[in-house]
Each structure stands twice: as C-alpha cells, then as structure tokens.
Amino acid sequence: MLGLELVVLLGAAVLAGNVLAQRLGVAPPVVLLALGALLGLVPAVRQTQLPPEVVLLLFLPVLLYWESLTTSSREIRSNLRGIVLMSTLLVILTAWAVAAAGHALGLPWGPAWVLGAAVAPTDATAVGALARALPRRQVTVLRAESLVNDGTALVIFGLAVGLTVGEEDLTVPHVGALFLLAYGGGAAVGLAVAWVNMNLRRRLQDPLLGNLVMILAPFTAYLLAELIHASGVLAVVVSGLIMAQVAPRLIRAEHRRQALAFWPLATFIINATLFVLVGVELHYALRHMSRPDLTDALMAIGVVSVVLVVVRFAFLFGSAYLIRALDRRPEQRLRRMSNRARTVSGFAGFRGAVSLAVALSVPEILDSGAPFPNRDFIVFVTSGVIVVTLVGQGLLLPGVVRWARLPRDTSVEEEELLAETRAAEEALEALPRLAADLGTSPEVAQWLRQEYEAQLAAVRARGTGADGDLALLHNRHYTALRLALIAHKRGTVVRLRDEQRIDDTVLRRLQTTLDYEEVRLAGTEVE
C-alpha cells in the first residue's frame, strides 16, 4: 500500500504547496521543497528513495519535450552563440571549478569531477518555474541553456565515473569522440524521430492516436539516443524544436486542442512532484552521513554554492566583454544586454532534480568490488546545493529583478496585435472569393463580414489603448451577452437531464459544445 499512500501524499503536497505559494507570494518550488522535507519526517516516506531512472527516463523526456515545444525557435536562432557557449563551455568550466573545490576539500579527483558534473547544469523545470517574470529574450536563453547543458554534463559525468571505476581512458581523441557522439548522435536521433512523428501525424485522423504518437515521441528519442550512447537530452530537444516549427501546418485542430488540455497538466504535476521528491531525498542522503562527514558536507555545500555563482557571473560578464571586443557588427550591438539584465541571468542559474538524478546514478561499487568513494557525500552535497540554489536564489531573484528595473517586454503583445489585425484584414479581403467558391448566399457572407469587421474594430481599438472606444464597448457587451446566453442554455440542458427528459450522454455532448464556445469567448474577451 505504500505506493498508493505515497501517490496521495505527493498529490496533497503538490496541491498544498502551490496554494500556499500563491497566498504567500513565494515561488512554488521553494514551498514544495519545504513540504518535501516535512514529508521526509514520516517514517514510511523516509524509506523511499527516488530511483534515478525515474527522472532520467520517465520524467525528464516529458518535461524537456514540452519545454522544447513551447520555446521560441526564433529567439534561439537570434541568441544561438550565447546559448551554445553557456550550454557547453560554461558547463565544462563549472564542472572543473567545482571539481577543484571538491578536491581542495579532500575529495579524490574522480569523485570530485562526478560532483562537478552533477551540479554543473541548470535545470529547465526550475528555470521555467522561477524565471517567468523576466523578459522573453532572457527567459528563452535561460530555458534553451538548461535544455541543452544536461547533455554536456552527462558526458562529463560518464567520463568521471568511468575514470573512477576504471573503464575510461582520458585522452583528447577519446573525449572528443564522446562529445561528437553525444551531440551529433543526439541531433540525428532527434531529427529521425521528428521525421517519423511528422509522417504519422499527417496520416492519423483520430486525435487519440495522434496524441499517443506525441506522447511516445520524447521517450522514443531518449531511448534510441541512449542505446547508441548519444545524448538523450539533445535528441528530445531537437525533436521537440522541429515539431514546434511544423506542427502549426501539420496538426489538426482537434489534435491540438486535446494536447493543450493534457500536456500542461501533466508537466505541472511532474514538475511539482520532482520538487517535493528532492525535499524527501534530503532525509535519505542525511541518514547515510556520519557526524564528521556531515560537517564536511555542509561546508562543501556552502563552498560549491558560492563557486557556482562566482563562475556563472564571471562567465556571463567575461564572455560578453570578450564578444564585444571581437564582434563589432551593428547587429551585434543591437543584441547587447545591460549589466543589470546580465546580473539577473546570473541569479537565475537554478539547479534541480536532474542534478539529483545524476548524483543518484553514481554506481555503488567499483570494478574491484570496493564501494564507490564518497558516493553518499556526493548525493548529500548535490541535494544541499539544489536546495540552496532553489531557495536562496529563488527568494533573491524577485528583489534582483526589481533592482534591475528591466524595461517591460511588450513584444509579445505587439506581435499578437499585429497577427490578429493582419489575419482579420486578410480574411475580410478573401471573404468575397471564398464565398463565391463555396456558393455561399450573399446574406450569410454579409453577416460574416459584419462580424469580422466588428472584431477587427475591437482589435484596433485595443491596440490604440482606447478603453472607452465604442467598438471595444460593443465587443465587451457582445461577449458578456453571449456568455450569459450560454449559461442559460447550460442550465436548461441540466434541468432537462434532471427531469429525465434527456440522458446523461446527451447532456455531456451538449455540454462539451457549450464549454468549447464559452472557452473561446472567454479567451477572446477584451479586458
């Protein structure tokens, strides 16, 4: 029964944590971590250990795929150089700096590099949960960095573990081949999975089957990449980015509507559950530490946390000024970021469940049969660093954002207004031709023209900020009246069901139609 009890406890913790975070005005991961630590006090829960494969093989592909589907490909292309540098060179430098600090604290070089690889990558789910208030460009760069840097960290981790257990030979050609296989193989697998996905989605009419293909895609990409020892992370990300580009032309409306109902809820539950489980894992790591080791580990947590922040800030500022010195093109100058904005990005380097999964993946024994050196120390320090970055930096970030006084990013609203206006204008231009092709009666065409002209007038008025504009008022009155009529129709249908004049099946069908209409109207209502 422990499995079922754990599911209920985790679900209750996710619900309570998010409600409490909203009331306190605190980032949800901070509260979820605290609740996870409290859950760890329960004896039955305390015995639970999070298997690393649950994160790496079950949770991570889903989260990475959805992040890839909802990340701006245009912003990634515009900031590709910075993203590549942060997801490769910054990860390597961070792993080296942490390894040097760990070695100075008494760790052998092998375990020190394992610790460095575990805490080097930022976490996509943590960034998405804690950095939403930032401008679109910064959020995109941070998310893209955290989507790709896991692949670099996992290559470093594999090398470090291999060296420690005696399976790897550290030579430049060998390391270069591993990185080439990780990135080249991962990208190739992601491309292949996306191609298969596109062809299947083009042929499948049933939305349930189409979305089953969508669910299988990230797991397939990750599994195939891991089978050839490539980066499963990069395979999932590449597959998701490609599908994000082709989906608007390929995916049918019914498929898309069903996916948008499923994926946000699934990723929300998985994301929140991971933060709770990180808090629970603290107790597991703590139980395996002796008192002297615990003192050393607490000191290591503080040192490693400082090293992470220092290296990130040094890289962000150093690379920026180096690029400015080498690249003086006018378009590069337009892409420059202020030092205040760069400071905000420095505080947004959160670590999360991926780091913990990497630490838990450390084998327990060497080839000789001896225990892996300092494994419990690595797991505990990694857990502590995750807590420090999520809680410490998560609580500091809102204040840093206020200090930075970043200009409000209105690009999304402006582009949305442009798209709505242009779409309505071109629809009105095409209306006579389409009506003639379809043989539509002039009365119906005129009715549609009036409706589209009213919508276009409301959109234009919203763009000028004229809240008192007559077109806006008419749009609000129209929407309010339509919503009131839908509510009245729903009440009538429910009453007929209660009077047993219609069956529940009929009620559900009509209710679905009314719900879709209500959601559409509520979504287009002008505030």
Side-chain angles (χ1 to χ4, degrees):
M1 285 295 291
L2 179 59
L4 182 58
E5 293 166 353
L6 186 61
V7 169
V8 173
L9 285 173
L10 288 175
V14 168
L15 177 61
N18 280 276
V19 171
L20 191 59
Q22 291 177 1
R23 296 195 174 184
L24 296 177
V26 179
V30 176
V31 182
L32 292 171
L33 274 172
L35 289 180
L38 291 175
L39 276 180
L41 298 174
V42 179
V45 177
R46 193 184 308 154
Q47 303 301 321
T48 303
Q49 182 184 4
L50 178 63
E53 58 270 15
V54 171
V55 174
L56 292 177
L57 302 180
L58 294 180
F59 287 180
L60 188 60
V62 175
L63 296 173
L64 289 176
Y65 196 63
W66 183 246
E67 289 286 336
S68 304
L69 289 174
T70 55
T71 297
S72 170
S73 299
R74 185 185 68 180
E75 288 294 324
I76 290 177
R77 289 192 296 270
S78 300
N79 299 278
L80 185 60
R81 179 170 57 189
I83 292 170
V84 170
L85 288 174
M86 293 174 70
S87 58
T88 54
L89 187 56
L90 176 57
V91 176
I92 295 172
L93 289 175
T94 303
W96 168 80
V98 172
H103 185 66
L105 292 172
L107 283 179
W109 274 113
W113 272 101
V114 171
L115 175 62
V119 300
T122 55
D123 187 78
T125 59
V127 169
L130 292 165
R132 292 173 181 167
L134 301 180
R136 176 174 63 174
R137 179 188 175 191
Q138 279 188 278
V139 172
T140 301
V141 172
L142 291 169
R143 290 174 67 184
E145 173 202 357
S146 60
L147 286 173
V148 179
N149 60 16
D150 293 334
T152 306
L154 289 172
V155 172
I156 299 173
F157 172 77
L159 281 170
V161 171
L163 285 171
T164 305
V165 301
E167 295 177 350
E168 295 286 357
D169 183 22
L170 188 60
T171 62
V172 173
H174 179 63
V175 174
L178 285 177
F179 273 95
L180 181 62
L181 176 61
Y183 284 95
V189 169
L191 182 63
V193 171
W195 182 82
V196 174
N197 194 353
M198 285 187 288
N199 283 277
L200 287 175
R201 299 301 295 273
R202 189 178 288 115
R203 289 169 172 77
L204 291 173
Q205 302 290 331
D206 189 339
L208 292 173
L209 296 179
N211 281 295
L212 177 58
V213 172
M214 184 179 181
I215 293 172
L216 287 174
F219 298 110
T220 304
Y222 198 97
L223 175 62
L224 292 178
E226 290 296 315
L227 287 176
I228 63 171
H229 303 290
S231 171
V233 169
L234 193 62
V236 174
V237 171
V238 169
S239 177
L241 290 175
I242 293 174
M243 289 304 299
Q245 287 298 299
V246 302
R249 294 186 178 91
L250 183 68
I251 307 301
R252 295 176 175 85
E254 185 67 23
H255 294 223
R256 188 162 46 246
R257 186 171 57 191
Q258 192 177 89
L260 288 175
F262 166 77
W263 280 87
L265 177 61
T267 54
F268 166 77
I269 294 173
I270 292 173
N271 195 2
T273 301
L274 282 176
F275 289 122
V276 176
L277 288 174
V278 169
V280 173
E281 282 296 318
L282 281 174
H283 291 274
Y284 176 83
L286 185 62
R287 289 200 313 273
H288 291 77
M289 300 289 295
S290 64
R291 188 173 295 275
D293 290 340
L294 180 60
T295 302
D296 294 341
L298 291 174
M299 181 184 300
I301 289 171
V303 171
V304 170
S305 299
V306 171
V307 168
L308 293 178
V309 174
V310 170
V311 171
R312 185 173 181 84
F313 270 88
F315 184 86
L316 287 174
F317 281 87
S319 62
Y321 285 106
L322 180 61
I323 290 173
R324 288 184 185 184
L326 298 176
D327 189 351
R328 297 184 174 275
R329 294 175 300 164
E331 56 267 28
Q332 169 58 31
R333 294 187 180 185
L334 294 175
R335 301 297 300 174
R336 287 181 179 176
M337 185 183 296
S338 69
N339 286 335
R340 286 177 177 261
R342 197 167 289 109
T343 301
V344 173
S345 296
F347 275 98
F350 307 106
R351 271 62 183 177
V354 174
S355 292
L356 182 61
V358 170
L360 291 173
S361 299
V362 177
E364 296 186 359
I365 58 173
L366 303 174
D367 287 349
S368 62
F372 192 98
N374 305 103
R375 183 182 187 277
D376 295 333
F377 184 90
I378 293 171
V379 173
F380 183 79
V381 172
T382 302
S383 303
V385 169
I386 293 170
V387 173
V388 169
T389 58
L390 288 178
V391 176
Q393 294 176 225
L395 292 176
L396 287 174
L397 185 62
V400 175
V401 172
R402 289 192 295 271
W403 164 83
R405 296 194 299 273
L406 300 176
R408 182 174 177 270
D409 187 357
T410 60
S411 58
V412 174
E413 291 84 354
E414 293 169 359
E415 292 174 11
E416 183 179 0
L417 181 65
L418 169 66
E420 288 184 3
T421 304
R422 188 65 57 82
E425 289 173 346
E426 294 189 8
L428 283 171
E429 291 176 6
L431 193 149
R433 175 178 55 82
L434 295 174
D437 292 344
L438 295 172
T440 306
S441 65
E443 293 80 8
V444 173
Q446 182 60 28
W447 175 69
L448 273 177
R449 174 173 291 278
Q450 291 175 353
E451 183 176 348
Y452 267 69
E453 286 176 345
Q455 292 176 0
L456 180 58
V459 171
R460 287 172 173 167
R462 189 179 63 189
T464 61
D467 289 339
D469 189 277
L470 187 61
L472 270 179
L473 292 175
H474 284 173
N475 180 270
R476 287 169 177 161
H477 292 165
Y478 170 83
T479 303
L481 182 58
R482 286 287 300 273
L483 290 172
L485 288 172
I486 290 171
H488 196 277
K489 289 171 67 176
R490 182 180 289 108
T492 301
V493 173
V494 173
R495 190 191 75 242
L496 291 173
R497 190 282 310 269
D498 293 342
E499 294 173 353
Q500 300 186 9
R501 297 171 64 182
I502 63 172
D503 188 61
D504 288 283
T505 303
V506 177
L507 169 65
R508 284 191 292 270
R509 289 184 180 180
L510 294 176
Q511 199 168 42
T512 299
T513 302
L514 293 172
D515 288 345
Y516 286 149
E517 188 176 1
E518 180 180 346
V519 170
R520 181 183 65 83
L521 285 170
T524 58
E525 185 176 7
V526 180
E527 297 296 337

